[in-house]
Amino acid sequence: MLLLPSSPSKLHTAFWFHTPGHRNTQPHRKSNIIKCATKRTGKQRYPSEKKKLRSKHRELLLSTSNDDKTKFKGTWRLCNLAVPLDQDPGKDFLEVSDELLEVIAKLLKFPVASMLPREPFSVVRKSFDARKEPKFVHTVDMDVQKLLSLEPRSWDFISQLQPKVGLVERVHDGGDFGHLMSIIQDCKENSEGVVKGENGHSIFSKELNKKQDTKKPKIAVVGSGPSGLFAALVLAELGADVTLIERGQPVEKRGRDIGSLIVRRILELESNFCFGEGGAGTWSDGKLVTRIGRNSGSVIAVMKTLVQFGATKQILIDGKPHLGTDRLIPLLRNFRQHLQDLGVTIKFGTRVDDLHIEDGHVLGVMVSESADELRLRSQKLECDAVILAVGHSARDVYQMLLTHNVELLPKDFAVGLRIEHPQELINRIQYAELASEVCRGRGKVPVADYKVANYIDKNDFNESSNSKVENRSCYSFCMCPGGQVVLTSTNPSEICINGMSFSRRASKWANAALVVSVTQNDFKALNYFGPLAGVEFQREFERSAAIIGGGNFVVPVQTVPDFLENKLSVTSVPPSSYRLGVKASNLHQLFPTNITEALKHSLVMFEKELPGFICNEALLHGVETRTSSPIQIPRDIESYESTSVKGLYPVGEGAGYAGGIISAAVDGMHAGFAVAKKFNLFHGDVKSVLGKAHNAGLVKY
């Protein structure tokens, strides 16, 4: 996690961060409050936080004093170990350096750092803090028994070690937690009959499985994004007959189709930046940050599974892990090969046209080749259950679900523009004299990014009396340092954009969406009603952007100063990373006045947080509309089954339950276990399985 410089006057504010795809559940707050990536500490904590921290600390001390012998077993976690920038090898060094060993020795009060062996210590988190004195902050796990065996004189120093929340904590010991495949395999191998944990939940039953009918349940997984891939992986590992259906193409062919779009302006409707193997996240920044718990068993299982398929181990340690498109492509090839080795049938270039439903239960899907635009050769694929893991751009699927009276709920999301700056400018704003250390992603410090948010009171603006719009927020979304702006349209008459980066983030541009929260009241103000009101709301602006741009996928742009002054300069616009061409336009023509004014107001506030943010080189691109799904498909909280149709399991971002690669993968993984349980391939609770296997969670005293 990158912590940026902030003046003391800004540290009193509350903090809220938006993660792509999540519903806007932010509290109503007064305007003119900027949120920055800082954490309340010391006197800045709320009284309730201080009380909770003191209580937890007392429990830690009491527990340790009751069982002092546990100090010399298992693992201790040492947190907030800071090494100054000039003493640290840099962001890509993930081992225990001499300087870090000195910090560890100081914490343990061990007199000679050089006598401490490195082997018992492992870095589990490393992040860059650019505030005041720049430094890298480490979290290190210490294997006590290994330390004692290599350096017996450390016994006295460990005996004096006391737990302190956020600094020194005990860690669960439950074996080496691995990737998802190993978790499932270990559970199978260690099960005899019905195995129950301490909570009484059974996990697997070999005997029961032997008595089951040999016929495997047939499961159709629709969509090969993160949720679909992980659902298919779980079910295949547990023995289901899985068919993975993807309307787009495998990454090799998809890459060529995207190349045709960029070079020859040919948009393949079913194989583009949104549709295809890996989902929309494949051609993006590959962010792996999440708000659902970085240290949770589910998240770590997903992260280690990605490493198993080719991701660098650095994603397990980085404070802000990301992959980049260039690393996602080979990872997906490996993932596909493993699924095929398990017997999964993968149908690329295959579109689901309809569901076969009888008596309120899904019995199969109707599919056709994606190239068959008229859907004249649709075929029936029988199955026992359908996991619907489509992305948020599968608008035809939403329409099809409505024909079967599947309940869809309109969901809040956000719309806006994508702003682009020279990356060197963002480096200077964030790092000042340290900007020279970036070296286009190859230096000691990470390529600079930012995250900003502004809360706006509805009374600040002259909104129409019938709009009924409540307080809004405007925030940065999907910030891509060292990236480029790309076209994510799925229709040639619409313009929708996003950002992407490669692993090194070496581009000379930085871009981020600046989006404003919108609700059903905004949809109604434009006379859009019903479950798909949000979809039509998106289309309204995407079509307008295409018209203003002049067609042929040209994107309308405007410099930030011109946007703030509502004028169109006759001079040429600054360079853009968008490769299909830009056209100087008045972006005030895109959105209703309340959204435009919210963007203008927030830009001024962001300039106060990031001096230099408003400049002639800052270029706004229109439009960014698909920040998250515009609908949610209601489902049972335990079984993941649709509340409208039996045998249908809506999951992931398109169903309104995730936002980003990790949360979508976790949702698909949990849904896979839920479906497996339905067909007696798995018994018990997925949380108990991951909890038992997870040795990286902190002990609860």
Side-chain angles (χ1 to χ4, degrees):
M1 181 173 64
L2 179 62
L3 301 177
L4 304 176
S6 179
S7 64
S9 62
K10 295 168 185 166
L11 295 180
H12 73 283
T13 56
F15 301 91
W16 167 82
F17 301 116
H18 177 88
T19 299
H22 285 275
R23 295 189 66 177
N24 296 320
T25 56
Q26 67 274 17
H28 299 322
R29 301 201 186 269
K30 294 293 184 182
S31 62
N32 301 356
I33 298 180
I34 302 284
K35 312 301 177 191
C36 55
T38 353
K39 185 178 180 180
R40 287 188 299 272
T41 57
K43 295 181 180 179
Q44 296 158 9
R45 289 194 176 99
Y46 295 145
S48 59
E49 291 178 317
K50 294 178 181 178
K51 182 177 179 181
K52 185 177 181 180
L53 198 61
R54 286 195 298 268
S55 175
K56 186 174 181 181
H57 185 53
R58 284 195 297 269
E59 292 175 3
L60 284 171
L61 292 174
L62 180 62
S63 177
T64 303
S65 61
N66 289 338
D67 190 9
D68 199 56
K69 293 182 180 179
T70 61
K71 285 185 177 182
F72 305 101
K73 298 180 180 179
T75 304
W76 284 82
R77 177 157 292 174
L78 314 178
C79 308
N80 289 320
L81 304 177
V83 177
L85 174 63
D86 59 354
Q87 299 178 26
D88 193 279
K91 69 181 192 310
D92 296 322
F93 186 84
L94 305 177
E95 305 299 325
V96 178
S97 64
D98 292 339
E99 293 75 15
L100 178 57
L101 203 60
E102 290 183 8
V103 178
I104 294 172
K106 184 177 180 180
L107 177 65
L108 298 177
K109 299 181 180 179
F110 194 83
V112 184
S114 60
M115 296 178 65
L116 276 178
R118 282 182 171 78
E119 292 81 357
F121 303 100
S122 58
V123 178
V124 295
R125 192 78 76 247
K126 182 174 183 177
S127 58
F128 182 55
D129 183 348
R131 297 172 299 176
K132 296 181 180 179
E133 298 180 2
K135 54 187 173 294
F136 281 96
V137 181
H138 304 73
T139 300
V140 173
D141 278 358
M142 177 178 68
D143 185 328
V144 178
Q145 289 172 305
K146 183 179 289 187
L147 176 59
L148 290 173
S149 66
L150 295 174
E151 180 48 80
R153 286 168 292 189
S154 62
W155 180 282
D156 291 339
F157 302 96
I158 295 174
S159 67
Q160 299 175 31
L161 202 60
Q162 295 293 337
K164 187 173 182 180
V165 177
L167 293 177
V168 180
E169 300 179 351
R170 290 299 311 278
V171 175
H172 277 299
D173 290 307
D176 183 21
F177 176 64
H179 48 78
L180 183 57
M181 296 80 77
S182 68
I183 293 172
I184 295 175
Q185 188 61 34
D186 288 346
C187 288
K188 288 179 178 178
E189 292 177 355
N190 295 333
S191 298
E192 292 293 340
V194 178
V195 178
K196 295 186 177 182
E198 295 180 359
N199 57 5
H201 289 296
S202 59
I203 300 174
F204 285 93
S205 172
K206 284 187 176 181
E207 295 301 322
L208 182 60
N209 286 338
K210 290 178 182 178
K211 296 177 182 179
Q212 286 179 349
D213 188 83
T214 56
K215 183 181 178 182
K216 295 180 178 180
K218 293 184 177 181
I219 312 297
V221 179
V222 183
S224 68
S227 56
L229 288 173
F230 274 82
L233 176 61
V234 170
L235 285 162
E237 290 282 352
L238 292 174
D241 181 358
V242 179
T243 299
L244 180 61
I245 305 170
E246 170 55 55
R247 68 193 303 165
Q249 297 296 332
V251 286
E252 300 89 347
K253 175 66 165 61
R254 186 182 178 190
R256 293 193 293 271
D257 291 336
I258 289 174
S260 295
L261 171 61
I262 294 173
V263 176
R264 298 194 294 273
R265 300 177 188 270
I266 300 174
L267 174 63
E268 293 289 341
L269 300 184
E270 305 289 0
S271 179
N272 44 57
F273 279 98
C274 284
F275 298 147
E277 186 177 20
T282 305
W283 267 265
S284 71
D285 187 53
K287 289 181 177 61
L288 303 179
V289 293
T290 179
R291 294 180 67 201
I292 62 175
R294 176 74 184 269
N295 291 324
S296 70
S298 297
V299 170
I300 292 181
V302 167
M303 296 285 274
K304 290 201 171 183
T305 302
L306 294 178
V307 171
Q308 181 69 13
F309 288 132
T312 171
K313 292 183 179 180
Q314 190 166 353
I315 67 171
L316 304 175
I317 298 175
D318 278 351
K320 286 185 176 180
H322 89 109
L323 285 171
T325 295
D326 50 325
R327 289 179 177 169
L328 275 167
I329 292 173
L331 184 155
L332 286 167
R333 284 199 292 260
N334 295 335
F335 206 131
R336 181 207 314 160
Q337 185 61 55
H338 182 78
L339 290 177
Q340 290 174 331
D341 291 344
L342 291 172
V344 174
T345 300
I346 303 179
K347 293 180 174 292
F348 288 112
T350 304
R351 181 184 53 239
V352 172
D353 300 327
D354 203 356
L355 298 177
H356 179 208
I357 300 175
E358 291 184 10
D359 299 324
H361 198 289
V362 172
L363 299 181
V365 293
M366 303 300 295
V367 300
S368 62
E369 293 183 4
S370 297
D372 180 13
E373 296 183 15
L374 298 179
R375 310 185 184 197
L376 300 176
R377 297 181 295 276
S378 190
Q379 298 179 342
K380 181 181 176 182
L381 179 66
E382 294 184 350
C383 57
D384 299 302
V386 174
I387 294 181
L388 192 65
V390 299
H392 58 43
S393 293
R395 294 166 171 173
D396 56 336
V397 174
Y398 298 154
Q399 192 67 53
M400 177 269 291
L401 293 175
L402 284 181
T403 65
H404 293 287
N405 296 317
V406 175
E407 185 180 12
L408 305 181
L409 301 177
K411 186 174 73 65
D412 300 347
F413 54 98
V415 299
L417 306 168
R418 185 158 285 266
I419 188 170
E420 185 169 70
H421 295 84
Q423 181 62 56
E424 289 185 0
L425 173 63
I426 299 301
N427 292 342
R428 291 196 301 270
I429 291 174
Q430 300 291 48
Y431 293 158
E433 66 275 5
L434 293 179
S436 60
E437 297 285 351
V438 174
C439 301
R440 287 204 171 187
R442 299 184 180 275
K444 290 186 65 174
V445 302
V447 180
D449 64 0
Y450 58 84
K451 179 181 285 188
V452 287
N454 182 39
Y455 294 96
I456 305 159
D457 193 295
K458 63 179 180 179
N459 297 320
D460 289 346
F461 302 105
N462 229 354
E463 301 195 17
S464 58
S465 58
N466 63 350
S467 66
K468 300 180 182 178
V469 177
E470 298 302 323
N471 294 359
R472 297 182 184 276
S473 63
C474 178
Y475 52 87
S476 57
F477 167 82
C478 190
M479 197 276 158
C480 296
Q484 57 186 287
V485 179
V486 297
L487 179 74
T488 53
S489 301
T490 50
N491 187 307
S493 64
E494 300 165 353
I495 287 290
C496 178
I497 56 174
N498 193 19
M500 66 164 281
S501 299
F502 292 107
S503 56
R504 276 291 177 185
R505 292 173 162 171
S507 163
K508 60 182 180 180
W509 285 286
N511 68 76
L514 297 182
V515 291
V516 177
S517 57
V518 292
T519 68
Q520 295 181 54
N521 290 327
D522 294 292
F523 312 157
K524 293 175 183 177
L526 295 183
N527 294 318
Y528 295 128
F529 302 91
L532 300 184
V535 173
E536 294 306 318
F537 188 80
Q538 292 173 330
R539 280 179 170 150
E540 171 85 15
F541 308 125
E542 293 173 7
R543 289 167 179 162
S544 295
I547 293 171
I548 295 172
N552 214 16
F553 306 116
V554 174
V555 163
V557 297
Q558 190 173 20
T559 64
V560 172
D562 279 4
F563 180 75
L564 293 174
E565 298 178 21
N566 192 14
K567 70 176 185 180
L568 183 61
S569 294
V570 295
T571 57
S572 61
V573 295
S576 167
S577 66
Y578 181 73
R579 296 176 61 183
L580 290 171
V582 297
K583 176 184 176 182
S585 310
N586 187 348
L587 299 185
H588 281 243
Q589 300 174 13
L590 282 173
F591 297 114
T593 302
N594 45 29
I595 295 177
T596 301
E597 290 300 318
L599 285 166
K600 289 173 61 178
H601 181 272
S602 298
L603 280 165
V604 173
M605 300 310 300
F606 298 157
E607 169 68 19
K608 295 179 180 179
E609 178 67 21
L610 303 171
F613 196 74
I614 296 177
C615 63
N616 290 326
E617 295 172 293
L619 193 62
L620 293 168
H621 301 63
V623 291
E624 182 106 9
T625 54
R626 304 184 192 185
T627 52
S628 68
S629 176
I631 64 99
Q632 186 175 70
I633 308 174
R635 69 186 186 190
D636 183 84
I637 193 172
E638 295 293 335
S639 70
Y640 286 69
E641 192 171 37
S642 166
T643 56
S644 303
V645 179
K646 297 295 183 183
L648 179 66
Y649 297 82
V651 302
E653 190 159 350
Y657 293 99
I661 293 173
I662 295 300
S663 60
V666 168
D667 196 57
M669 178 175 66
H670 280 254
F673 278 108
V675 174
K677 184 176 180 180
K678 171 79 171 181
F679 293 97
N680 295 318
L681 300 175
F682 171 75
H683 306 274
D685 179 12
V686 62
K687 296 178 183 178
S688 67
V689 174
L690 292 172
K692 181 178 180 180
H694 179 205
N695 75 333
L698 300 179
V699 174
K700 296 181 180 178
Y701 286 90

